[in-house]
Amino acid sequence: MTLLSAEAVRISFSTPRGTLRAVDGVDLEVGASETVALVGESGCGKSTLAKGIVGLEPLAGGTLTFQGKPLDHQRDRFRISRQLQMVFQDPDASLNPRLTLNQALAEPLRIHGIVPRSDEEAAVCDLLERVGIDPVLRNRYPHELSGGQKQRICIARALAVRPKLLILDEAVSALDVSVRAQILNLLSDLKADLGLAYLFITHDLGVVRQFADRVYVMYLGQMLEVADVEALFHRPEHPYTQALLASVPRLEVGSFRRERVLLGDVPSPLNPPVGCRFHTRCPQAFDKCQTAPPVVSLESRLVRCWLHVDSATAPEPTPEANGSD
């Protein structure tokens, strides 16, 4: 069952130099109890898309649905916040330094009426235990905790309202390797115990292979490839996905592995390339890449690339695919 669906979502920003199309016609789905990873280079629009889903950025176009109902953040923000929660990369910026852990976790319980006031302390202790924090620490302030402990508190606060979907925006990237593994194990346990779904935004492709069910590969505001995690890692089809996976460090004793090196920088989203967004850096680009490719369905994935288009069956590119209004 589809839990979250985004169709042709666009998010734009007005700047003195023109309109910046951070997210340009993105489709995305997250199923119930599924972990979907969203990967791509910095600046490709991953976090902006996540903020649009939870209502922190307004949409310039497209639709969002949750459990089959339209998401209207202006009209129904209170109900939506019970269903969708987001955990950010920096726990120091997410936690109020003037609130104790008890106060920080009791606040969403009280606002949403999760438990009676008399049961708040017990509910806070239960949340702390669920994320591996000793309830004895509940009267401490954030500055008295380690980075891993603070991120656990952010996860506990998100869980307080009993959501269906957690959006994790680089939630483990700032942590030490050992702490990162602990948090990932915690998230896996929470998913099994509570039936949660995750939209997991990360640069760490090793974590993606371990943690995700499906992967969306994003570049310059558009999705280039969507596949099940094993299919994507076993046989990436888009040249950009191939380059991303080739960049993952490996220990290969006694052998030399030549990397696929991407030439040039990511183009500015203020002036994206005409046609395929990736063709200015693609080692396999040819003349047809000057025209925007359609999204084609292969056996186990979706790919936006002319290399995989069967001209007899592929749909014609739409005006939106070329970036026009």
Side-chain angles (χ1 to χ4, degrees):
M1 181 185 75
T2 299
L3 189 64
L4 171 73
S5 177
E7 296 183 5
V9 167
R10 293 187 292 115
I11 301 175
S12 302
F13 301 97
S14 296
T15 74
R17 296 171 54 195
T19 299
L20 189 155
R21 295 182 175 181
V23 178
D24 196 7
V26 164
D27 295 341
L28 180 142
E29 287 189 354
V30 181
S33 302
E34 183 183 31
T35 298
V36 170
L38 184 57
V39 304
E41 293 170 282
S42 296
C44 71
K46 304 185 302 294
S47 295
T48 303
L49 175 60
K51 291 176 181 178
I53 291 172
V54 298
L56 295 178
E57 295 291 353
L59 302 190
T63 59
L64 295 170
T65 58
F66 191 82
Q67 293 182 313
K69 297 180 180 179
L71 278 181
D72 188 335
H73 291 286
Q74 292 184 338
R75 185 185 63 189
D76 205 11
R77 179 177 291 273
F78 190 78
R79 180 186 67 83
I80 293 169
S81 66
R82 284 285 304 269
Q83 306 293 324
L84 294 171
Q85 284 289 309
M86 189 165 175
V87 179
F88 296 90
Q89 178 176 358
D90 184 3
D92 287 312
S94 301
L95 296 172
N96 188 333
R98 299 188 178 189
L99 297 183
T100 65
L101 308 188
N102 191 79
Q103 292 169 326
L105 296 180
E107 187 176 49
L109 296 173
R110 189 173 306 147
I111 290 173
H112 290 276
I114 304 297
V115 296
R117 183 69 69 95
S118 59
D119 295 337
E120 279 183 3
E121 185 172 336
V124 167
C125 291
D126 179 67
L127 285 168
L128 290 171
E129 290 177 342
R130 189 175 287 278
V131 298
I133 298 289
D134 191 333
V136 172
L137 304 180
R138 65 184 181 278
N139 291 317
R140 291 193 179 184
Y141 289 89
H143 73 271
E144 299 178 281
L145 305 177
S146 68
Q149 287 175 319
K150 283 183 277 193
Q151 195 63 293
R152 288 173 186 265
I153 297 303
C154 291
I155 294 170
R157 187 178 58 182
L159 293 176
V161 296
R162 302 170 185 171
K164 300 289 186 184
L165 172 65
L166 280 187
I167 299 177
L168 304 162
D169 187 7
E170 299 284 2
V172 297
S173 64
L175 304 176
D176 293 339
V177 173
S178 61
V179 178
R180 185 183 309 175
Q182 294 170 13
I183 297 296
L184 290 172
N185 289 335
L186 168 65
L187 292 170
S188 296
D189 292 341
L190 290 171
K191 178 183 177 183
D193 293 343
L194 304 176
L196 291 170
Y198 295 135
L199 177 57
F200 190 73
I201 299 170
T202 184
H203 290 92
D204 191 334
L205 294 174
V207 170
V208 169
R209 188 164 197 175
Q210 169 194 347
F211 192 64
D213 300 311
R214 285 191 303 125
V215 186
Y216 283 74
V217 180
M218 196 168 180
Y219 180 81
L220 209 61
Q222 292 185 343
M223 294 298 180
L224 298 188
E225 186 165 0
V226 182
D228 291 341
V229 65
E230 287 304 322
L232 186 100
F233 278 82
H234 177 69
R235 194 182 74 255
E237 296 288 0
H238 198 285
Y240 179 61
T241 310
Q242 294 168 3
L244 283 181
L245 294 182
S247 70
V248 177
R250 293 178 176 85
L251 292 177
E252 297 184 354
V253 179
S255 64
F256 175 77
R257 184 169 61 95
R258 185 179 298 277
E259 306 286 1
R260 284 187 181 87
V261 178
L262 293 179
L263 302 178
D265 297 324
V266 179
S268 169
L270 285 167
N271 186 27
V274 175
C276 174
R277 295 283 170 95
F278 184 60
H279 83 269
T280 57
R281 303 172 70 199
C282 180
Q284 302 181 60
F286 58 106
D287 291 344
K288 203 168 187 178
C289 298
Q290 301 288 333
T291 304
V295 177
V296 296
S297 177
L298 303 181
E299 182 179 350
S300 59
R301 74 195 69 215
L302 298 174
V303 184
R304 188 191 298 266
C305 183
W306 282 114
L307 293 172
H308 302 284
V309 170
D310 179 354
S311 59
T313 60
E316 289 297 320
T318 61
E320 289 78 10
N322 281 304
S324 58
D325 291 320

